Coordinates of all heavy atoms in Angstrom, one line a residue:
M1 N 11.4 29.8 -22.7 CA 10.3 29.8 -23.6 C 9.3 28.7 -23.4 O 9.7 27.6 -23.1 CB 10.9 29.7 -25.1 CG 10.4 30.9 -25.9 SD 10.7 30.7 -27.6 CE 9.3 29.7 -28.1
L2 N 8.1 29.0 -23.5 CA 7.0 28.0 -23.3 C 6.7 27.3 -24.6 O 6.6 28.0 -25.6 CB 5.8 28.7 -22.7 CG 5.9 29.1 -21.2 CD1 4.8 30.0 -20.8 CD2 6.0 27.9 -20.3
V3 N 6.4 26.1 -24.5 CA 6.0 25.3 -25.7 C 4.5 25.1 -25.6 O 4.0 24.6 -24.6 CB 6.8 23.9 -25.7 CG1 6.4 23.2 -27.0 CG2 8.3 24.1 -25.6
E4 N 3.9 25.4 -26.8 CA 2.4 25.1 -26.8 C 2.1 23.7 -27.2 O 2.8 23.1 -28.0 CB 1.8 26.1 -27.8 CG 1.8 27.5 -27.4 CD 0.4 28.1 -27.6 OE1 -0.2 28.0 -28.6 OE2 -0.1 28.8 -26.6
R5 N 1.2 23.2 -26.6 CA 0.7 21.8 -27.0 C -0.8 21.7 -26.8 O -1.4 22.4 -26.1 CB 1.5 20.7 -26.2 CG 1.3 20.9 -24.7 CD 1.8 19.6 -24.0 NE 2.1 19.9 -22.6 CZ 3.3 20.0 -22.1 NH1 4.4 19.9 -22.8 NH2 3.5 20.3 -20.8
K6 N -1.3 20.7 -27.5 CA -2.7 20.5 -27.5 C -3.1 19.7 -26.2 O -2.5 18.7 -25.8 CB -3.1 19.7 -28.7 CG -4.5 20.0 -29.2 CD -4.7 19.4 -30.5 CE -6.1 19.7 -31.1 NZ -6.3 19.1 -32.4
C7 N -4.2 20.2 -25.5 CA -4.7 19.6 -24.3 C -5.3 18.3 -24.7 O -6.2 18.2 -25.6 CB -5.7 20.5 -23.6 SG -6.6 19.7 -22.3
S8 N -4.9 17.2 -24.0 CA -5.5 15.9 -24.3 C -7.0 15.8 -23.8 O -7.7 14.9 -24.1 CB -4.7 14.8 -23.6 OG -3.3 15.0 -23.9
G9 N -7.3 16.8 -22.9 CA -8.7 16.7 -22.3 C -9.7 17.4 -23.2 O -10.8 16.8 -23.5
C10 N -9.4 18.6 -23.7 CA -10.4 19.3 -24.5 C -10.0 19.8 -25.8 O -10.7 20.3 -26.6 CB -10.9 20.5 -23.7 SG -9.6 21.7 -23.3
G11 N -8.7 19.6 -26.2 CA -8.2 19.9 -27.5 C -7.7 21.3 -27.7 O -7.4 21.7 -28.8
V12 N -7.7 22.1 -26.6 CA -7.3 23.5 -26.7 C -5.8 23.6 -26.6 O -5.2 22.8 -25.9 CB -8.0 24.3 -25.6 CG1 -7.3 25.6 -25.3 CG2 -9.5 24.6 -26.0
W13 N -5.2 24.6 -27.3 CA -3.8 24.8 -27.3 C -3.4 25.5 -26.0 O -3.9 26.5 -25.7 CB -3.3 25.5 -28.5 CG -3.3 24.7 -29.7 CD1 -4.3 24.6 -30.6 CD2 -2.3 23.7 -30.2 NE1 -4.0 23.7 -31.6 CE2 -2.8 23.1 -31.3 CE3 -1.0 23.4 -29.7 CZ2 -2.0 22.2 -32.0 CZ3 -0.3 22.4 -30.4 CH2 -0.8 21.8 -31.5
I14 N -2.5 24.9 -25.3 CA -2.1 25.5 -24.0 C -0.6 25.5 -23.9 O 0.2 24.8 -24.5 CB -2.6 24.6 -22.8 CG1 -2.3 23.1 -23.0 CG2 -4.1 24.8 -22.6 CD1 -2.6 22.2 -21.8
S15 N -0.1 26.4 -23.0 CA 1.4 26.6 -22.8 C 1.8 26.2 -21.4 O 2.9 26.3 -21.0 CB 1.8 28.0 -23.1 OG 1.0 28.9 -22.3
T16 N 0.8 25.7 -20.6 CA 1.1 25.2 -19.3 C 0.8 23.7 -19.1 O 0.2 23.2 -20.0 CB 0.2 26.0 -18.3 OG1 -1.2 25.9 -18.7 CG2 0.5 27.4 -18.1
D17 N 1.3 23.2 -18.1 CA 1.1 21.7 -17.8 C -0.4 21.4 -17.6 O -1.0 20.5 -18.2 CB 1.9 21.3 -16.6 CG 3.3 21.0 -17.0 OD1 3.6 21.0 -18.2 OD2 4.1 20.8 -16.1
V18 N -1.0 22.2 -16.8 CA -2.4 22.0 -16.5 C -3.3 22.9 -17.3 O -3.1 24.2 -17.3 CB -2.7 22.3 -14.9 CG1 -4.2 22.0 -14.6 CG2 -1.8 21.4 -14.1
C19 N -4.2 22.4 -18.0 CA -5.1 23.1 -18.9 C -6.0 24.1 -18.1 O -6.6 23.7 -17.1 CB -6.0 22.2 -19.7 SG -7.2 23.0 -20.7
P20 N -6.0 25.4 -18.5 CA -6.8 26.3 -17.7 C -8.3 26.2 -18.0 O -9.1 26.7 -17.3 CB -6.3 27.7 -18.2 CG -5.7 27.4 -19.5 CD -5.2 26.0 -19.5
K21 N -8.6 25.5 -19.1 CA -10.0 25.4 -19.5 C -10.7 24.2 -18.8 O -11.8 24.3 -18.2 CB -10.1 25.2 -21.0 CG -11.4 25.7 -21.5 CD -11.5 25.5 -23.0 CE -13.0 25.6 -23.5 NZ -13.1 25.1 -24.9
C22 N -10.0 23.0 -18.8 CA -10.7 21.8 -18.3 C -9.9 21.2 -17.1 O -10.4 20.3 -16.5 CB -10.9 20.8 -19.4 SG -9.3 20.0 -20.0
G23 N -8.7 21.7 -16.8 CA -8.0 21.3 -15.7 C -7.2 20.0 -15.9 O -6.7 19.4 -15.0
F24 N -7.1 19.5 -17.2 CA -6.4 18.3 -17.5 C -4.9 18.5 -17.4 O -4.4 19.5 -17.9 CB -6.8 17.9 -18.9 CG -6.3 16.5 -19.3 CD1 -7.1 15.4 -19.0 CD2 -5.1 16.3 -19.9 CE1 -6.6 14.1 -19.3 CE2 -4.6 15.1 -20.2 CZ -5.4 14.0 -19.9
D25 N -4.2 17.6 -16.7 CA -2.8 17.7 -16.6 C -2.1 17.1 -17.8 O -2.1 15.9 -18.0 CB -2.4 17.0 -15.3 CG -0.9 17.3 -14.9 OD1 -0.2 17.8 -15.8 OD2 -0.6 17.0 -13.8
S26 N -1.5 17.9 -18.6 CA -0.9 17.4 -19.9 C 0.7 17.2 -19.8 O 1.3 17.0 -20.8 CB -1.2 18.4 -21.0 OG -2.6 18.4 -21.3
N27 N 1.2 17.3 -18.6 CA 2.6 17.1 -18.4 C 2.9 15.7 -18.9 O 2.4 14.7 -18.3 CB 3.0 17.3 -16.9 CG 4.5 17.1 -16.7 OD1 5.1 16.1 -17.1 ND2 5.1 18.2 -16.1
P28 N 3.8 15.5 -19.9 CA 4.0 14.2 -20.5 C 4.5 13.2 -19.5 O 4.1 12.0 -19.5 CB 5.0 14.4 -21.6 CG 5.4 15.8 -21.6 CD 4.5 16.6 -20.6
K29 N 5.4 13.6 -18.6 CA 5.9 12.7 -17.6 C 4.8 12.2 -16.6 O 4.7 11.0 -16.3 CB 7.0 13.4 -16.8 CG 8.1 12.5 -16.3 CD 9.2 13.3 -15.7 CE 10.1 12.5 -14.8 NZ 11.1 13.4 -14.1
R30 N 4.0 13.2 -16.2 CA 2.9 12.8 -15.3 C 1.8 12.0 -16.0 O 1.3 11.1 -15.4 CB 2.3 14.1 -14.7 CG 3.0 14.5 -13.4 CD 2.1 15.5 -12.6 NE 2.0 16.7 -13.3 CZ 2.7 17.8 -13.0 NH1 3.5 17.8 -12.0 NH2 2.5 19.0 -13.6
V31 N 1.6 12.3 -17.2 CA 0.6 11.5 -18.0 C 1.0 10.1 -18.1 O 0.3 9.1 -17.9 CB 0.4 12.1 -19.4 CG1 -0.4 11.1 -20.3 CG2 -0.3 13.4 -19.3
R32 N 2.4 9.9 -18.4 CA 2.9 8.5 -18.5 C 2.8 7.8 -17.1 O 2.4 6.6 -17.1 CB 4.3 8.6 -18.9 CG 4.7 7.3 -19.7 CD 6.1 7.4 -20.2 NE 6.5 8.6 -20.8 CZ 7.7 9.2 -20.6 NH1 8.6 8.7 -19.9 NH2 8.0 10.3 -21.2
V33 N 3.1 8.5 -16.1 CA 3.0 7.8 -14.7 C 1.6 7.5 -14.4 O 1.3 6.4 -13.9 CB 3.6 8.8 -13.7 CG1 3.2 8.3 -12.3 CG2 5.1 8.9 -13.8
Q34 N 0.7 8.4 -14.8 CA -0.8 8.1 -14.6 C -1.2 6.9 -15.4 O -2.0 6.1 -14.9 CB -1.6 9.4 -14.9 CG -3.0 9.3 -14.5 CD -3.2 9.1 -13.0 OE1 -2.6 9.7 -12.2 NE2 -4.1 8.2 -12.7
K35 N -0.7 6.8 -16.6 CA -1.1 5.7 -17.5 C -0.7 4.3 -16.8 O -1.4 3.4 -16.8 CB -0.5 5.8 -18.8 CG -1.6 6.2 -19.9 CD -0.9 6.3 -21.3 CE -1.8 7.1 -22.2 NZ -1.1 7.6 -23.4
I36 N 0.6 4.3 -16.4 CA 1.1 3.1 -15.8 C 0.3 2.8 -14.5 O -0.1 1.6 -14.3 CB 2.6 3.3 -15.4 CG1 3.4 3.4 -16.7 CG2 3.1 2.2 -14.5 CD1 4.8 4.0 -16.4
R37 N -0.1 3.8 -13.8 CA -0.8 3.6 -12.5 C -2.2 3.0 -12.9 O -2.7 2.1 -12.2 CB -0.9 4.9 -11.8 CG -1.1 4.7 -10.3 CD -1.0 6.0 -9.5 NE 0.3 6.5 -9.4 CZ 0.6 7.8 -9.2 NH1 -0.3 8.7 -9.1 NH2 1.9 8.2 -9.2
D38 N -2.8 3.6 -13.9 CA -4.1 3.1 -14.4 C -4.1 1.6 -14.7 O -5.0 0.9 -14.3 CB -4.6 3.9 -15.6 CG -5.2 5.3 -15.1 OD1 -5.3 5.4 -13.9 OD2 -5.5 6.1 -16.0
V39 N -3.1 1.2 -15.5 CA -3.0 -0.1 -16.0 C -2.8 -1.1 -14.8 O -3.4 -2.1 -14.7 CB -1.8 -0.3 -17.0 CG1 -1.5 -1.8 -17.2 CG2 -2.2 0.4 -18.3
K40 N -2.0 -0.6 -13.8 CA -1.7 -1.4 -12.6 C -3.0 -1.6 -11.8 O -3.2 -2.7 -11.4 CB -0.6 -0.6 -11.8 CG 0.6 -1.5 -11.5 CD 1.6 -0.7 -10.7 CE 2.8 -1.5 -10.4 NZ 3.8 -0.7 -9.6
T41 N -3.7 -0.5 -11.6 CA -4.9 -0.7 -10.7 C -6.0 -1.5 -11.5 O -6.7 -2.2 -10.8 CB -5.5 0.7 -10.4 OG1 -5.6 1.5 -11.5 CG2 -4.6 1.4 -9.3
Q42 N -6.0 -1.4 -12.8 CA -6.9 -2.2 -13.6 C -6.6 -3.7 -13.4 O -7.5 -4.4 -13.2 CB -6.8 -1.8 -15.0 CG -8.1 -1.0 -15.5 CD -7.9 -0.6 -16.9 OE1 -7.2 -1.2 -17.7 NE2 -8.6 0.4 -17.3
K43 N -5.4 -4.0 -13.5 CA -5.0 -5.4 -13.4 C -5.3 -5.9 -12.0 O -5.8 -7.0 -11.8 CB -3.4 -5.5 -13.6 CG -3.1 -6.0 -15.0 CD -1.6 -6.3 -15.1 CE -1.3 -6.7 -16.5 NZ 0.2 -6.7 -16.7
E44 N -4.9 -5.1 -11.0 CA -5.2 -5.5 -9.6 C -6.6 -5.7 -9.3 O -7.0 -6.6 -8.5 CB -4.5 -4.4 -8.7 CG -3.1 -4.7 -8.5 CD -2.4 -3.5 -7.8 OE1 -3.1 -2.6 -7.3 OE2 -1.1 -3.5 -7.7
S45 N -7.5 -4.8 -9.8 CA -8.9 -4.9 -9.5 C -9.6 -6.0 -10.4 O -10.6 -6.5 -10.0 CB -9.6 -3.6 -9.7 OG -9.5 -3.2 -11.0
A46 N -9.1 -6.3 -11.5 CA -9.8 -7.2 -12.4 C -9.5 -8.7 -12.1 O -10.4 -9.5 -12.2 CB -9.4 -6.9 -13.9
E47 N -8.2 -9.0 -11.8 CA -7.9 -10.4 -11.6 C -8.4 -11.1 -10.4 O -9.0 -12.1 -10.6 CB -6.3 -10.5 -11.7 CG -5.9 -10.7 -13.1 CD -4.4 -10.8 -13.3 OE1 -3.7 -11.1 -12.3 OE2 -3.9 -10.4 -14.4
P48 N -8.3 -10.5 -9.2 CA -8.9 -11.2 -8.1 C -10.4 -11.4 -8.2 O -10.9 -12.4 -7.8 CB -8.5 -10.3 -6.9 CG -7.6 -9.3 -7.4 CD -7.7 -9.2 -8.9
E49 N -11.0 -10.5 -8.8 CA -12.5 -10.5 -9.0 C -12.9 -11.8 -9.8 O -13.8 -12.5 -9.5 CB -13.0 -9.3 -9.7 CG -13.9 -8.5 -8.8 CD -14.3 -7.2 -9.4 OE1 -14.9 -7.3 -10.5 OE2 -14.0 -6.1 -8.9
K50 N -12.1 -11.9 -10.9 CA -12.4 -13.1 -11.8 C -12.2 -14.4 -11.1 O -13.1 -15.2 -11.2 CB -11.4 -13.0 -13.0 CG -12.0 -12.9 -14.3 CD -11.0 -13.0 -15.4 CE -11.5 -12.5 -16.7 NZ -10.3 -12.3 -17.7
I51 N -11.1 -14.5 -10.4 CA -10.9 -15.8 -9.6 C -12.0 -15.9 -8.6 O -12.5 -17.0 -8.4 CB -9.5 -15.7 -9.0 CG1 -8.4 -15.8 -10.1 CG2 -9.3 -16.8 -8.0 CD1 -7.0 -15.3 -9.6
D52 N -12.3 -14.9 -7.9 CA -13.4 -14.9 -6.9 C -14.7 -15.4 -7.5 O -15.4 -16.2 -6.9 CB -13.6 -13.5 -6.3 CG -13.4 -13.5 -4.8 OD1 -12.5 -14.2 -4.3 OD2 -14.1 -12.8 -4.1
L53 N -15.0 -14.8 -8.7 CA -16.2 -15.2 -9.3 C -16.3 -16.7 -9.7 O -17.3 -17.4 -9.5 CB -16.4 -14.3 -10.6 CG -17.8 -13.9 -10.9 CD1 -18.2 -12.7 -10.0 CD2 -17.9 -13.4 -12.4
V54 N -15.2 -17.1 -10.2 CA -15.1 -18.6 -10.6 C -15.2 -19.4 -9.4 O -16.0 -20.4 -9.4 CB -13.7 -18.8 -11.4 CG1 -13.5 -20.3 -11.5 CG2 -13.7 -18.1 -12.7
L55 N -14.5 -19.1 -8.3 CA -14.6 -19.9 -7.1 C -16.0 -19.9 -6.5 O -16.5 -20.9 -6.1 CB -13.6 -19.3 -6.1 CG -12.1 -19.8 -6.3 CD1 -11.2 -19.1 -5.2 CD2 -12.0 -21.3 -6.2
K56 N -16.6 -18.7 -6.6 CA -18.0 -18.6 -6.0 C -18.9 -19.5 -6.9 O -19.8 -20.2 -6.3 CB -18.4 -17.2 -6.1 CG -18.8 -16.7 -4.7 CD -19.2 -15.2 -4.7 CE -18.9 -14.6 -3.4 NZ -19.0 -13.1 -3.5
K57 N -18.8 -19.4 -8.2 CA -19.7 -20.2 -9.1 C -19.4 -21.7 -8.8 O -20.4 -22.5 -8.8 CB -19.3 -19.8 -10.5 CG -20.5 -19.4 -11.3 CD -20.1 -19.1 -12.7 CE -21.2 -18.7 -13.6 NZ -20.8 -18.3 -14.9
W58 N -18.2 -22.0 -8.7 CA -17.8 -23.4 -8.5 C -18.4 -23.9 -7.1 O -18.9 -25.0 -7.1 CB -16.3 -23.5 -8.5 CG -15.7 -24.8 -8.7 CD1 -16.4 -26.0 -9.0 CD2 -14.3 -25.2 -8.7 NE1 -15.6 -27.0 -9.1 CE2 -14.3 -26.6 -9.0 CE3 -13.1 -24.5 -8.6 CZ2 -13.1 -27.3 -9.1 CZ3 -11.9 -25.1 -8.6 CH2 -11.9 -26.5 -8.9
K59 N -18.3 -23.1 -6.1 CA -18.7 -23.5 -4.8 C -20.2 -23.7 -4.8 O -20.7 -24.6 -4.1 CB -18.3 -22.4 -3.8 CG -18.3 -22.9 -2.4 CD -17.9 -21.8 -1.4 CE -18.1 -22.3 0.0 NZ -17.7 -21.2 0.9
N60 N -20.9 -22.8 -5.5 CA -22.4 -22.8 -5.4 C -23.0 -23.6 -6.5 O -24.2 -23.5 -6.8 CB -22.9 -21.4 -5.4 CG -22.5 -20.6 -4.2 OD1 -22.4 -21.2 -3.1 ND2 -22.2 -19.4 -4.4
T61 N -22.2 -24.4 -7.2 CA -22.8 -25.2 -8.3 C -23.7 -26.2 -7.9 O -23.6 -26.8 -6.8 CB -21.6 -25.8 -9.1 OG1 -22.2 -26.5 -10.2 CG2 -20.8 -26.8 -8.3
K62 N -24.7 -26.5 -8.8 CA -25.7 -27.6 -8.5 C -25.1 -28.9 -8.8 O -25.7 -30.0 -8.4 CB -27.0 -27.3 -9.3 CG -27.7 -26.0 -8.8 CD -28.7 -26.3 -7.8 CE -29.7 -25.1 -7.6 NZ -29.0 -24.0 -7.0
N63 N -24.1 -29.0 -9.6 CA -23.5 -30.2 -10.1 C -22.7 -30.8 -8.9 O -21.7 -30.3 -8.4 CB -22.6 -29.9 -11.3 CG -22.1 -31.2 -11.9 OD1 -22.0 -32.2 -11.3 ND2 -21.8 -31.1 -13.2
P64 N -23.1 -32.0 -8.4 CA -22.5 -32.6 -7.3 C -21.0 -33.0 -7.5 O -20.2 -33.0 -6.6 CB -23.3 -33.9 -7.0 CG -24.1 -34.1 -8.2 CD -24.3 -32.8 -8.9
I65 N -20.7 -33.4 -8.8 CA -19.3 -33.7 -9.1 C -18.4 -32.5 -9.0 O -17.3 -32.6 -8.4 CB -19.3 -34.4 -10.5 CG1 -20.0 -35.7 -10.5 CG2 -17.8 -34.6 -10.9 CD1 -20.4 -36.2 -11.8
L66 N -18.9 -31.4 -9.6 CA -18.2 -30.2 -9.5 C -18.0 -29.7 -8.1 O -16.9 -29.2 -7.7 CB -18.9 -29.1 -10.3 CG -18.5 -29.0 -11.8 CD1 -19.3 -27.9 -12.4 CD2 -17.0 -28.7 -12.0
K67 N -19.0 -29.9 -7.3 CA -19.0 -29.5 -5.9 C -17.9 -30.3 -5.1 O -17.2 -29.8 -4.3 CB -20.4 -29.7 -5.2 CG -20.6 -28.8 -4.1 CD -22.1 -28.7 -3.8 CE -22.4 -27.6 -2.9 NZ -23.7 -27.1 -2.9
L68 N -17.9 -31.6 -5.5 CA -16.9 -32.5 -4.9 C -15.5 -32.1 -5.2 O -14.6 -32.1 -4.4 CB -17.2 -34.0 -5.4 CG -16.8 -35.1 -4.4 CD1 -17.8 -35.1 -3.2 CD2 -16.9 -36.4 -5.1
T69 N -15.3 -31.8 -6.5 CA -14.0 -31.4 -6.9 C -13.6 -30.1 -6.2 O -12.4 -29.9 -5.9 CB -13.9 -31.1 -8.4 OG1 -14.8 -30.2 -8.8 CG2 -14.1 -32.4 -9.2
Y70 N -14.5 -29.2 -5.9 CA -14.2 -28.0 -5.2 C -13.7 -28.3 -3.8 O -12.6 -27.8 -3.4 CB -15.5 -27.1 -5.1 CG -15.2 -25.8 -4.3 CD1 -14.6 -24.7 -4.9 CD2 -15.5 -25.8 -2.9 CE1 -14.4 -23.6 -4.2 CE2 -15.2 -24.6 -2.2 CZ -14.7 -23.5 -2.8 OH -14.4 -22.4 -2.1
W71 N -14.4 -29.1 -3.1 CA -14.0 -29.4 -1.7 C -12.7 -30.3 -1.7 O -11.9 -30.2 -0.8 CB -15.1 -30.1 -1.0 CG -16.2 -29.2 -0.7 CD1 -17.4 -29.1 -1.3 CD2 -16.1 -28.0 0.2 NE1 -18.1 -28.1 -0.8 CE2 -17.4 -27.4 0.1 CE3 -15.1 -27.5 1.0 CZ2 -17.6 -26.2 0.8 CZ3 -15.4 -26.4 1.7 CH2 -16.6 -25.7 1.6
F72 N -12.6 -31.1 -2.8 CA -11.4 -31.9 -2.9 C -10.1 -31.0 -3.1 O -9.1 -31.1 -2.4 CB -11.5 -32.9 -4.1 CG -10.4 -33.9 -4.3 CD1 -10.3 -34.9 -3.3 CD2 -9.6 -33.8 -5.3 CE1 -9.2 -35.8 -3.4 CE2 -8.5 -34.8 -5.5 CZ -8.4 -35.7 -4.5
G73 N -10.3 -30.1 -4.1 CA -9.2 -29.1 -4.3 C -8.9 -28.2 -3.1 O -7.8 -28.0 -2.8
Y74 N -10.0 -27.9 -2.4 CA -9.9 -27.0 -1.2 C -9.1 -27.8 -0.2 O -8.2 -27.2 0.5 CB -11.3 -26.6 -0.8 CG -11.2 -25.6 0.4 CD1 -11.1 -24.3 0.1 CD2 -11.4 -26.0 1.7 CE1 -11.1 -23.3 1.1 CE2 -11.4 -25.1 2.7 CZ -11.2 -23.7 2.4 OH -11.2 -22.8 3.4
S75 N -9.4 -29.0 0.1 CA -8.7 -29.8 1.1 C -7.3 -30.0 0.7 O -6.4 -30.0 1.6 CB -9.4 -31.1 1.4 OG -9.8 -31.8 0.2
I76 N -7.0 -30.2 -0.6 CA -5.6 -30.4 -1.0 C -4.8 -29.1 -0.7 O -3.7 -29.1 -0.2 CB -5.5 -30.8 -2.5 CG1 -5.9 -32.2 -2.7 CG2 -4.1 -30.5 -3.1 CD1 -6.0 -32.6 -4.1
W77 N -5.4 -28.0 -1.1 CA -4.8 -26.7 -0.8 C -4.6 -26.5 0.7 O -3.5 -26.0 1.1 CB -5.8 -25.6 -1.4 CG -5.3 -24.2 -1.2 CD1 -4.5 -23.5 -2.0 CD2 -5.6 -23.3 -0.1 NE1 -4.3 -22.2 -1.4 CE2 -5.0 -22.1 -0.3 CE3 -6.4 -23.5 1.1 CZ2 -5.1 -21.1 0.6 CZ3 -6.5 -22.4 2.0 CH2 -5.8 -21.2 1.7
F78 N -5.5 -26.9 1.5 CA -5.4 -26.7 2.9 C -4.3 -27.6 3.5 O -3.5 -27.1 4.2 CB -6.8 -27.1 3.6 CG -6.8 -26.8 5.0 CD1 -7.0 -25.5 5.5 CD2 -6.6 -27.8 6.0 CE1 -7.1 -25.3 6.8 CE2 -6.7 -27.6 7.3 CZ -6.9 -26.3 7.8
V79 N -4.2 -28.9 3.0 CA -3.2 -29.8 3.5 C -1.8 -29.3 3.0 O -0.8 -29.3 3.8 CB -3.4 -31.2 2.9 CG1 -2.2 -32.1 3.1 CG2 -4.6 -31.8 3.6
Y80 N -1.8 -28.8 1.8 CA -0.5 -28.3 1.2 C 0.0 -27.1 2.1 O 1.2 -27.1 2.4 CB -0.8 -27.8 -0.2 CG 0.4 -27.2 -0.9 CD1 1.5 -27.9 -1.3 CD2 0.4 -25.8 -1.2 CE1 2.5 -27.3 -2.0 CE2 1.4 -25.2 -1.8 CZ 2.5 -26.0 -2.2 OH 3.5 -25.4 -2.9
F81 N -0.9 -26.2 2.5 CA -0.4 -25.1 3.2 C -0.1 -25.5 4.7 O 0.8 -24.9 5.3 CB -1.5 -24.0 3.2 CG -1.2 -23.0 2.1 CD1 -1.7 -23.3 0.8 CD2 -0.5 -21.9 2.3 CE1 -1.5 -22.4 -0.2 CE2 -0.2 -21.0 1.2 CZ -0.7 -21.3 0.0
S82 N -0.8 -26.5 5.2 CA -0.4 -27.0 6.6 C 1.0 -27.5 6.6 O 1.8 -27.3 7.5 CB -1.4 -28.0 7.0 OG -2.7 -27.8 6.6
I83 N 1.3 -28.3 5.5 CA 2.6 -28.9 5.4 C 3.7 -27.9 5.3 O 4.7 -27.9 5.9 CB 2.7 -29.9 4.2 CG1 1.8 -31.2 4.5 CG2 4.1 -30.4 3.9 CD1 1.5 -32.1 3.3
L84 N 3.4 -26.9 4.4 CA 4.3 -25.8 4.2 C 4.6 -25.0 5.5 O 5.7 -24.7 5.8 CB 3.8 -24.8 3.1 CG 4.1 -25.1 1.7 CD1 3.7 -23.9 0.8 CD2 5.6 -25.3 1.5
S85 N 3.5 -24.7 6.2 CA 3.7 -24.0 7.4 C 4.4 -24.8 8.5 O 5.2 -24.3 9.3 CB 2.4 -23.4 8.0 OG 1.5 -24.4 8.1
F86 N 4.2 -26.2 8.4 CA 4.8 -27.1 9.4 C 6.3 -27.1 9.1 O 7.2 -27.0 10.0 CB 4.2 -28.5 9.2 CG 4.8 -29.5 10.1 CD1 4.6 -29.4 11.5 CD2 5.6 -30.5 9.6 CE1 5.2 -30.4 12.4 CE2 6.2 -31.5 10.5 CZ 6.0 -31.4 11.9
I87 N 6.7 -27.2 7.8 CA 8.1 -27.1 7.4 C 8.8 -25.8 7.8 O 9.9 -25.8 8.3 CB 8.2 -27.4 5.9 CG1 7.9 -28.9 5.5 CG2 9.7 -27.1 5.4 CD1 7.7 -29.1 4.1
A88 N 8.0 -24.7 7.6 CA 8.6 -23.4 7.9 C 8.8 -23.4 9.4 O 9.8 -22.8 9.9 CB 7.6 -22.3 7.5
F89 N 7.9 -24.0 10.2 CA 8.0 -24.0 11.6 C 9.2 -24.8 12.1 O 10.0 -24.4 12.9 CB 6.7 -24.6 12.2 CG 6.7 -24.8 13.7 CD1 6.4 -23.7 14.5 CD2 7.0 -26.1 14.3 CE1 6.4 -23.9 15.9 CE2 7.0 -26.2 15.6 CZ 6.7 -25.1 16.5
L90 N 9.4 -26.0 11.4 CA 10.6 -26.8 11.7 C 11.9 -26.1 11.4 O 12.8 -26.1 12.2 CB 10.5 -28.1 10.9 CG 9.6 -29.2 11.4 CD1 9.7 -30.5 10.5 CD2 10.0 -29.6 12.8
V91 N 11.9 -25.5 10.2 CA 13.2 -24.8 9.8 C 13.5 -23.7 10.8 O 14.6 -23.4 11.2 CB 13.0 -24.2 8.4 CG1 14.1 -23.2 8.1 CG2 13.0 -25.4 7.4
A92 N 12.4 -23.0 11.3 CA 12.6 -21.9 12.2 C 13.1 -22.3 13.6 O 13.8 -21.6 14.3 CB 11.3 -21.1 12.3
W93 N 12.7 -23.6 14.0 CA 13.0 -24.0 15.3 C 14.2 -25.0 15.4 O 14.7 -25.1 16.5 CB 11.7 -24.7 16.0 CG 10.8 -23.6 16.4 CD1 9.8 -23.0 15.8 CD2 10.8 -22.9 17.7 NE1 9.2 -22.1 16.5 CE2 9.8 -22.0 17.7 CE3 11.7 -23.0 18.8 CZ2 9.6 -21.1 18.8 CZ3 11.4 -22.2 19.9 CH2 10.4 -21.3 19.9
L94 N 14.5 -25.6 14.3 CA 15.6 -26.5 14.3 C 16.9 -25.7 14.5 O 17.1 -24.7 13.8 CB 15.7 -27.4 13.1 CG 14.8 -28.6 13.1 CD1 14.8 -29.3 11.7 CD2 15.1 -29.6 14.2
P95 N 17.8 -26.2 15.3 CA 19.1 -25.5 15.5 C 20.0 -25.7 14.2 O 20.1 -26.8 13.7 CB 19.7 -26.1 16.7 CG 19.1 -27.4 16.9 CD 17.7 -27.3 16.2
G96 N 20.8 -24.7 13.9 CA 21.8 -24.7 12.9 C 21.1 -24.8 11.5 O 21.8 -25.2 10.6
Ligands
ZN1 ZN1 -8.2 21.1 -21.6

């Protein structure tokens, strides 16, 4: 037996997963998966952009002190990663 449910896309009562009127997929399982996927992609696309924007603003600032802190932080980050990769290199090459 088919269960009728309201289409989330156009509000028409349907007995199939995919609405014949608007093509909206009302399968609850697929809707849930789609929602999770939407949230995930939203997070992924929103966060790096924000950081990128802040970094860009910071880098192009007219304030010389802020500019200095940017390059200071950048060099610390650079040194930190050089040390990390150096340690990783040592661990990889040292015997035992
Ligand atoms: Zn519909």
Side-chain angles (χ1 to χ4, degrees):
M1 236 193 83
L2 286 167
V3 184
E4 286 229 315
R5 59 167 159 256
K6 213 171 181 181
C7 168
S8 311
C10 61
V12 158
W13 286 93
I14 49 170
S15 52
T16 51
D17 278 352
V18 180
C19 173
K21 205 182 165 193
C22 69
F24 190 90
D25 193 344
S26 296
N27 184 304
K29 213 172 163 187
R30 271 198 291 260
V31 167
R32 210 179 312 139
V33 166
Q34 188 59 45
K35 251 183 198 162
I36 290 165
R37 207 172 286 157
D38 278 353
V39 169
K40 236 182 180 175
T41 49
Q42 250 177 25
K43 258 188 183 168
E44 276 167 8
S45 62
E47 269 175 30
E49 245 176 60
K50 236 186 201 168
I51 291 164
D52 236 38
L53 217 76
V54 168
L55 279 178
K56 237 178 210 167
K57 235 182 178 175
W58 198 2
K59 196 181 175 182
N60 297 323
T61 181
K62 294 265 192 295
N63 190 330
I65 293 160
L66 271 180
K67 208 163 194 158
L68 208 71
T69 57
Y70 176 84
W71 290 110
F72 188 66
Y74 188 81
S75 45
I76 283 173
W77 178 86
F78 188 78
V79 167
Y80 176 71
F81 269 86
S82 326
I83 290 166
L84 270 190
S85 52
F86 181 69
I87 288 167
F89 177 81
L90 276 183
V91 167
W93 281 93
L94 279 176

